[in-house]
């Protein structure tokens, strides 16, 4: 099945909004063994006709986003009907949904909104619980047009519709069920390292596709193919990276940590210098984190390290604020003063200034303390990158060190 | 000048990487009065030939990214030369640059890298200080091909090259100098509100284009056109949003705040509940923030609000942790205990749980205290959105409230 994507939206071409649709579709399609052959972005308005005609001969399926709104340059629905010679009729159920959507917000649907209830003959509406415009599925017409899926542009509306309504149809169009799929989230090992280690061992496995998706300090390894092949490959990955696998789901590391601490009834405190609160903020992105994260200290100044965490001024004077003893003292201070079960502390040099020969920009000490666990565990790392990426990598490395500690690996 | 973009890169279609190129180009081109007509993403490899031939007749300029690397599926350079019947020759200067790039990293350039020094006849190389592959400019060939700019895919390499080498050529191709341009960053007013207020007053101004770019809680208003028109429009914007304009540059609000506090020799502390450290983290994204931000308190639990900030337990019991008196007490506590000149405090309900009839999910109190400034200033806001967007909007609103306080507007 050759799939193409057409995104309509002037804002996507003016730099107002970053186009995340292709990445979203790519990720979702990979899981059912399909991929995007080409993606095209065009402005709102007339260009949709030319773009559809251009791409009709090259695709079995076209996913179209945007142009279903109520304004005059939203003409995807009408353009498709016109190109294919299909009449439009008002769907009573959709019109009712649109009217009640507006009523529930104390407003009235108008004639522009009524256009959103129009459905080309032979097309199926795709329900949109998160907005007014339904999606539309227009089946392929032999020798004329591929299968067309028209979906709203806002990701909040598009994503659930794609997952719930479109993916199952694509699975059935592809003629085979969604193939077995495994996803591993791995921390602390680089993409090329992972490939070097597993690729030779996966080479012998037939009908297997391996994908990598890497973010700062984190790599997703995705396996897809025949069931036995995926299982054999998954065993290789599990064996090679037993301690590095954060999860076999698509959860974030912060979600994994909050879930495991929460299940154990344990609590956490953070003490951050160079990350400036990013570790605490990342943890609090997870609903329910308030039961786990008791408090966070952002101790940027030396004085605050002393006052809030009890780091001795003499220790800072002797070893420097970025040092192993200070990281350990910060972790101990946060643990004791918050009476939490675990603490994370980081101190480092985010740059661009402040580096020395011995401790260049990017140097960071990460410490984990655990109630009754003896001396804090301290690791020195170096993330030689820009300030923002340094903060992000340090935060992820700190969360990962806590994960390893909780699992008993360090 | 009709400009199209072709992005090559399998990773962009597999969901491994979000395509930020179109948004980057769109933003940069807007400033010189140009825009993108269409953007196409294709996988690495052979597809580049078909995509170029498809789009040649429709464009005056095509910006191509990716496919200049050293591996076997990087064939943009060779495909262009072949399609246009141009021979390739090795450029001595580029080859020397590539070899020294590798030598400086203790490695040797190989035959694959040597391909990166090949230049089609008649093309100009575009120097790449941040990587090995230079960009290439292939001038239009009458009746055959538009102007082609081939650039490396990594944003770190692409962006400076585009700004320094490509934009000036596009200005000269467009036949008119970069038009006058003004950018306003406005906080606390929605895009449609801004449009409603200024559009009627801008309607009478000839030769003016107005662009909006909106992020969470923040809108860029961009004016471009004839000098007198831009000046007249800028005066309208300044008058309408005198207190709401964060900056007329493209700086972030955190950068503006750190610069102004730093210039005044003043310091800051934060006390965060629902944002979980995001305000402190945002401020510390700015180099030099260590001179301004003394410390941050992340007081998620009631106990930590009492212990770290001196918020009376009875006050929390009486008014609730999310209340005006508690926000004010948090701000006072942070100010006094850190001995800073200003403090920011926030307490709210990020959701999804925890809302009540009186204080629904999304309710937040933001407080600013200033040394010698009397009672803290407290504002109640409601950001009814998802947890992450709530945190982001609250953080931006808090920073903006401090900006208004520092400027004497509140």
């Amino acid at each position: 099945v050759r799939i193409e994507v057409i995104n309509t939206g002037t804002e996507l071409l003016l730099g107002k909004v970053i186009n995340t649709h292709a990445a979203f579709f790519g990720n979702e399609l990979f899981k059912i063994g399909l991929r995007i052959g080409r993606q095209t972005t065009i402005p709102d308005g007339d260009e949709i006709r030319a773009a559809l005609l251009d791409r009709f001969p090259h695709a079995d399926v076209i996913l179209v986003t945007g142009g279903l709104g109520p304004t005059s340059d939203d003409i995807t629905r009408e353009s498709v009907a016109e190109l294919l010679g299909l009449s439009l009729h008002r769907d009573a159920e959709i019109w009712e949904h649109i009217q009640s959507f507006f009523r529930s917000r104390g407003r009235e649907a108008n004639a522009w909104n009524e256009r959103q209830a129009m459905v080309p003959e032979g097309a199926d509406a795709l329900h949109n619980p998160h907005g007014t415009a339904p999606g539309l599925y227009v089946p392929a017409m032999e020798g004329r047009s591929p299968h067309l899926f028209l979906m709203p542009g806002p990701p909040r509306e598009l994503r659930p519709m794609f997952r719930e309504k479109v993916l199952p149809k694509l699975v059935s169009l592809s003629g085979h069920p969604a193939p077995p799929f495994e996803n591993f989230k791995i921390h602390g090992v680089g993409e090329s390292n992972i490939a070097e280690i597993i690729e030779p061992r996966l080479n012998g496995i037939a009908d297997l596709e391996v994908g990598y998706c890497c973010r700062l300090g984190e790599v997703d390894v995705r396996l897809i193919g025949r069931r036995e092949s995926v299982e054999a490959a998954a065993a290789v990955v599990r064996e090679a990276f037993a301690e590095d696998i954060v999860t076999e789901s698509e959860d974030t590391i912060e979600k994994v940590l909050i879930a495991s601490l929460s299940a154990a009834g344990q609590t956490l405190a953070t003490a951050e210098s160079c990350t400036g609160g990013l570790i605490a903020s990342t943890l609090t992105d997870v609903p329910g984190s308030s039961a786990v994260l008791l408090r966070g200290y952002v101790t940027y100044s030396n004085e605050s390290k002393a006052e809030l965490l009890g780091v001795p001024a003499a220790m800072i004077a002797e070893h420097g604020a970025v040092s192993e003893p200070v990281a350990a003292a910060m972790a101990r201070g946060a643990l004791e003063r918050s009476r939490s079960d675990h603490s994370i502390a980081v101190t480092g040099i985010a740059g661009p200034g402040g580096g020395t020969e011995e401790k260049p920009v990017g140097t960071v000490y990460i410490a984990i303390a655990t109630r009754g666990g003896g001396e804090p565990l301290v690791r020195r790392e170096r993330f030689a990158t820009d300030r923002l990426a340094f903060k992000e990598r340090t935060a992820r490395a700190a969360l990962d060190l806590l994960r390893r500690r909780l699992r008993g690996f360090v």
Side-chain angles (χ1 to χ4, degrees), chain A residues 24-70:
Chain A
F24 168 73
F25 287 141
N27 251 314
E28 294 293 313
L29 291 170
F30 186 88
K31 296 177 199 167
I32 60 166
L34 300 175
R35 54 182 60 198
I36 305 169
R38 181 183 291 204
Q39 175 269 336
T40 304
T41 310
I42 53 171
D44 293 319
D46 286 340
E47 292 265 335
I48 182 71
R49 292 196 192 89
L52 286 167
L53 285 179
D54 275 3
R55 305 316 306 163
F56 274 0
H58 303 286
D60 301 311
V61 170
I62 301 183
L63 307 172
V64 184
T65 69
L68 301 178

Coordinates of all heavy atoms in Angstrom, one line a residue, chain A residues 24-70:
Chain A
F24 N 3.9 12.2 13.3 CA 2.9 11.4 13.9 C 2.4 10.2 13.0 O 2.4 9.1 13.5 CB 1.7 12.3 14.3 CG 0.5 11.6 14.7 CD1 0.4 11.0 15.9 CD2 -0.6 11.5 13.8 CE1 -0.7 10.3 16.3 CE2 -1.7 10.7 14.2 CZ -1.8 10.1 15.4
F25 N 2.1 10.5 11.8 CA 1.6 9.5 10.9 C 2.7 8.4 10.7 O 2.5 7.2 10.7 CB 1.3 10.0 9.5 CG 0.0 10.8 9.4 CD1 -0.1 11.9 8.7 CD2 -1.1 10.4 10.2 CE1 -1.3 12.7 8.6 CE2 -2.3 11.1 10.1 CZ -2.4 12.3 9.3
G26 N 4.0 8.9 10.6 CA 5.1 7.9 10.3 C 5.2 7.0 11.5 O 5.3 5.7 11.3
N27 N 5.1 7.5 12.7 CA 5.2 6.6 13.9 C 4.1 5.6 14.0 O 4.3 4.5 14.3 CB 5.1 7.5 15.1 CG 6.4 7.6 15.9 OD1 7.1 6.6 16.1 ND2 6.8 8.8 16.2
E28 N 2.9 6.1 13.7 CA 1.7 5.3 13.8 C 1.7 4.2 12.8 O 1.4 3.0 13.0 CB 0.4 6.1 13.8 CG 0.2 7.1 14.9 CD 0.0 6.3 16.2 OE1 -0.8 5.4 16.3 OE2 0.6 6.7 17.2
L29 N 2.1 4.6 11.5 CA 2.0 3.6 10.4 C 3.1 2.6 10.6 O 2.9 1.4 10.2 CB 2.2 4.4 9.1 CG 1.0 5.3 8.7 CD1 1.4 6.2 7.5 CD2 -0.2 4.4 8.3
F30 N 4.2 3.0 11.1 CA 5.3 2.0 11.3 C 4.8 0.8 12.1 O 5.1 -0.3 11.8 CB 6.5 2.6 12.0 CG 7.7 1.7 12.2 CD1 8.6 1.7 11.2 CD2 7.8 0.9 13.3 CE1 9.7 0.9 11.2 CE2 8.9 0.1 13.4 CZ 9.9 0.0 12.4
K31 N 3.9 1.1 13.1 CA 3.5 0.0 14.0 C 2.6 -1.0 13.2 O 2.3 -2.1 13.7 CB 2.7 0.6 15.1 CG 3.5 1.5 16.0 CD 2.6 2.1 17.1 CE 3.3 3.3 17.7 NZ 2.4 4.1 18.5
I32 N 2.0 -0.6 12.1 CA 1.2 -1.5 11.4 C 1.9 -1.9 10.1 O 1.3 -2.5 9.2 CB -0.2 -1.0 11.1 CG1 -0.2 0.3 10.3 CG2 -1.0 -0.8 12.4 CD1 -1.6 0.6 9.7
G33 N 3.2 -1.7 10.1 CA 4.0 -2.2 9.0 C 3.9 -1.4 7.7 O 4.3 -1.8 6.6
L34 N 3.4 -0.1 7.8 CA 3.3 0.7 6.6 C 4.2 2.0 6.7 O 4.6 2.3 7.8 CB 1.8 1.1 6.4 CG 0.8 0.0 6.2 CD1 -0.6 0.6 6.2 CD2 1.1 -0.8 5.0
R35 N 4.4 2.6 5.6 CA 5.2 3.9 5.7 C 4.7 4.9 4.7 O 4.0 4.6 3.8 CB 6.7 3.6 5.6 CG 7.0 2.9 4.3 CD 8.5 2.6 4.3 NE 9.0 1.8 5.5 CZ 10.2 1.7 5.9 NH1 11.2 2.4 5.2 NH2 10.5 1.0 6.9
I36 N 5.1 6.1 4.9 CA 4.7 7.2 4.0 C 5.7 7.3 2.9 O 6.9 7.3 3.1 CB 4.8 8.6 4.8 CG1 3.9 8.5 6.0 CG2 4.3 9.7 3.9 CD1 4.1 9.7 7.0
G37 N 5.2 7.4 1.6 CA 6.0 7.5 0.5 C 6.4 8.9 0.2 O 7.5 9.2 -0.3
R38 N 5.5 9.8 0.4 CA 5.8 11.3 0.2 C 4.8 12.1 1.0 O 3.7 11.7 1.2 CB 5.6 11.6 -1.3 CG 5.9 13.1 -1.6 CD 5.7 13.5 -3.1 NE 6.7 12.9 -3.9 CZ 7.1 13.4 -5.1 NH1 6.5 14.5 -5.6 NH2 7.9 12.8 -5.9
Q39 N 5.3 13.3 1.4 CA 4.4 14.2 2.2 C 4.5 15.5 1.5 O 5.6 16.0 1.2 CB 4.9 14.2 3.6 CG 4.2 15.2 4.5 CD 4.9 16.6 4.5 OE1 6.1 16.7 4.2 NE2 4.2 17.7 4.8
T40 N 3.4 16.2 1.3 CA 3.3 17.5 0.7 C 2.6 18.5 1.5 O 1.5 18.1 2.1 CB 2.6 17.3 -0.7 OG1 3.2 16.3 -1.5 CG2 2.6 18.6 -1.4
T41 N 3.1 19.7 1.7 CA 2.4 20.7 2.4 C 2.0 21.8 1.4 O 2.9 22.3 0.6 CB 3.2 21.4 3.5 OG1 3.8 20.4 4.3 CG2 2.4 22.3 4.4
I42 N 0.8 22.2 1.4 CA 0.3 23.3 0.5 C -0.5 24.3 1.4 O -0.9 24.0 2.5 CB -0.6 22.7 -0.6 CG1 -1.8 21.9 0.1 CG2 0.1 21.9 -1.6 CD1 -2.9 21.5 -0.9
P43 N -0.6 25.6 0.9 CA -1.4 26.6 1.6 C -2.8 26.3 1.5 O -3.3 25.4 0.7 CB -1.1 27.9 0.8 CG -0.2 27.5 -0.3 CD 0.0 26.1 -0.4
D44 N -3.6 26.9 2.4 CA -5.1 26.8 2.3 C -5.5 27.3 1.0 O -4.8 28.2 0.4 CB -5.7 27.7 3.4 CG -5.4 27.2 4.8 OD1 -5.5 26.0 5.0 OD2 -5.2 28.0 5.7
G45 N -6.7 26.9 0.6 CA -7.3 27.5 -0.7 C -7.1 26.6 -1.9 O -7.0 25.3 -1.7
D46 N -7.1 27.2 -3.0 CA -7.2 26.5 -4.3 C -6.1 25.4 -4.6 O -6.4 24.5 -5.4 CB -7.1 27.5 -5.5 CG -8.4 28.3 -5.6 OD1 -9.4 27.8 -5.1 OD2 -8.3 29.3 -6.2
E47 N -4.9 25.5 -4.0 CA -3.9 24.6 -4.3 C -4.2 23.1 -4.1 O -3.6 22.2 -4.6 CB -2.6 24.9 -3.5 CG -2.0 26.2 -3.8 CD -0.8 26.0 -4.8 OE1 -0.3 24.9 -4.8 OE2 -0.6 27.0 -5.5
I48 N -5.2 22.9 -3.2 CA -5.6 21.5 -2.9 C -5.9 20.7 -4.2 O -5.6 19.5 -4.3 CB -6.7 21.4 -1.8 CG1 -7.1 20.0 -1.5 CG2 -8.0 22.2 -2.3 CD1 -6.0 19.3 -0.7
R49 N -6.6 21.4 -5.1 CA -7.0 20.6 -6.3 C -5.8 20.1 -7.1 O -5.7 18.9 -7.4 CB -7.9 21.5 -7.2 CG -9.2 21.9 -6.6 CD -10.2 22.4 -7.6 NE -11.3 23.0 -6.9 CZ -11.4 24.2 -6.5 NH1 -10.5 25.1 -6.7 NH2 -12.5 24.6 -5.8
A50 N -4.9 21.0 -7.4 CA -3.7 20.6 -8.1 C -2.9 19.6 -7.4 O -2.4 18.6 -8.0 CB -2.8 21.9 -8.4
A51 N -2.8 19.7 -6.1 CA -2.0 18.8 -5.3 C -2.6 17.4 -5.3 O -1.9 16.4 -5.5 CB -1.9 19.3 -3.9
L52 N -4.0 17.3 -5.2 CA -4.6 16.0 -5.3 C -4.4 15.4 -6.7 O -4.1 14.2 -6.8 CB -6.1 16.2 -5.0 CG -6.5 16.4 -3.5 CD1 -7.9 16.8 -3.4 CD2 -6.2 15.2 -2.6
L53 N -4.7 16.2 -7.7 CA -4.6 15.6 -9.1 C -3.1 15.2 -9.3 O -2.9 14.1 -9.9 CB -5.0 16.7 -10.1 CG -6.5 16.8 -10.2 CD1 -6.8 17.9 -11.2 CD2 -7.2 15.5 -10.6
D54 N -2.1 16.0 -8.9 CA -0.7 15.6 -9.0 C -0.5 14.2 -8.4 O 0.3 13.4 -9.0 CB 0.2 16.5 -8.1 CG 0.6 17.8 -8.8 OD1 0.1 18.0 -10.0 OD2 1.3 18.6 -8.2
R55 N -1.0 14.0 -7.2 CA -0.6 12.8 -6.5 C -1.5 11.6 -6.7 O -1.1 10.5 -6.3 CB -0.5 13.1 -5.0 CG 0.4 14.3 -4.6 CD 1.8 14.3 -5.3 NE 2.5 13.0 -5.2 CZ 3.5 12.6 -6.0 NH1 3.9 13.4 -7.0 NH2 4.1 11.5 -5.8
F56 N -2.7 11.8 -7.2 CA -3.7 10.6 -7.4 C -3.0 9.5 -8.1 O -3.1 8.3 -7.6 CB -4.9 11.1 -8.2 CG -6.0 11.7 -7.4 CD1 -5.9 11.8 -6.0 CD2 -7.2 12.1 -8.1 CE1 -7.0 12.4 -5.3 CE2 -8.2 12.7 -7.3 CZ -8.1 12.8 -6.0
P57 N -2.2 9.7 -9.2 CA -1.7 8.5 -9.9 C -0.6 7.8 -9.1 O -0.2 6.6 -9.5 CB -1.1 9.1 -11.2 CG -1.5 10.5 -11.2 CD -1.9 10.9 -9.8
H58 N 0.0 8.4 -8.1 CA 1.1 7.8 -7.4 C 0.8 7.1 -6.1 O 1.7 6.5 -5.5 CB 2.2 8.9 -7.1 CG 2.6 9.6 -8.4 ND1 3.4 9.1 -9.3 CD2 2.2 10.9 -8.8 CE1 3.6 10.0 -10.3 NE2 2.9 11.1 -10.0
A59 N -0.4 7.1 -5.6 CA -0.7 6.6 -4.3 C -1.9 5.7 -4.3 O -2.8 5.8 -5.1 CB -1.0 7.8 -3.4
D60 N -1.9 4.7 -3.3 CA -3.0 3.9 -3.1 C -3.9 4.5 -2.0 O -5.1 4.3 -2.0 CB -2.6 2.5 -2.6 CG -1.7 1.8 -3.6 OD1 -2.1 1.8 -4.8 OD2 -0.6 1.4 -3.2
V61 N -3.3 5.3 -1.2 CA -4.0 6.0 -0.1 C -3.4 7.4 0.1 O -2.2 7.5 0.0 CB -3.8 5.2 1.3 CG1 -4.4 6.1 2.4 CG2 -4.5 3.8 1.2
I62 N -4.3 8.4 0.2 CA -3.8 9.7 0.5 C -4.5 10.2 1.8 O -5.7 10.2 2.0 CB -4.0 10.8 -0.6 CG1 -3.3 10.3 -1.9 CG2 -3.5 12.1 -0.2 CD1 -3.5 11.3 -3.0
L63 N -3.6 10.6 2.8 CA -4.1 11.1 4.1 C -4.0 12.6 3.9 O -3.0 13.2 3.7 CB -3.2 10.7 5.2 CG -3.0 9.2 5.4 CD1 -1.9 8.9 6.4 CD2 -4.3 8.5 5.7
V64 N -5.2 13.3 4.0 CA -5.2 14.7 3.8 C -5.6 15.4 5.2 O -6.5 14.9 5.8 CB -6.3 15.2 2.8 CG1 -6.2 16.7 2.5 CG2 -6.1 14.4 1.5
T65 N -4.8 16.4 5.6 CA -5.2 17.1 6.8 C -5.5 18.5 6.5 O -4.9 19.2 5.7 CB -4.0 17.1 7.9 OG1 -2.9 17.9 7.4 CG2 -3.5 15.7 8.1
G66 N -6.5 19.1 7.3 CA -6.8 20.5 7.2 C -7.8 20.8 6.1 O -8.1 20.0 5.3
G67 N -8.3 22.0 6.2 CA -9.2 22.5 5.1 C -10.6 22.0 5.3 O -11.4 22.1 4.4
L68 N -10.9 21.5 6.5 CA -12.3 21.1 6.8 C -13.0 22.1 7.7 O -14.2 21.9 8.2 CB -12.3 19.7 7.5 CG -11.7 18.6 6.7 CD1 -11.7 17.3 7.6 CD2 -12.4 18.4 5.4
G69 N -12.4 23.2 8.0 CA -12.9 24.2 9.0 C -14.1 25.0 8.3 O -14.5 24.7 7.2
P70 N -14.6 26.0 9.0 CA -15.7 26.7 8.6 C -15.4 28.0 7.7 O -16.4 28.6 7.2 CB -16.4 27.2 9.9 CG -15.3 27.4 10.8 CD -14.2 26.4 10.4

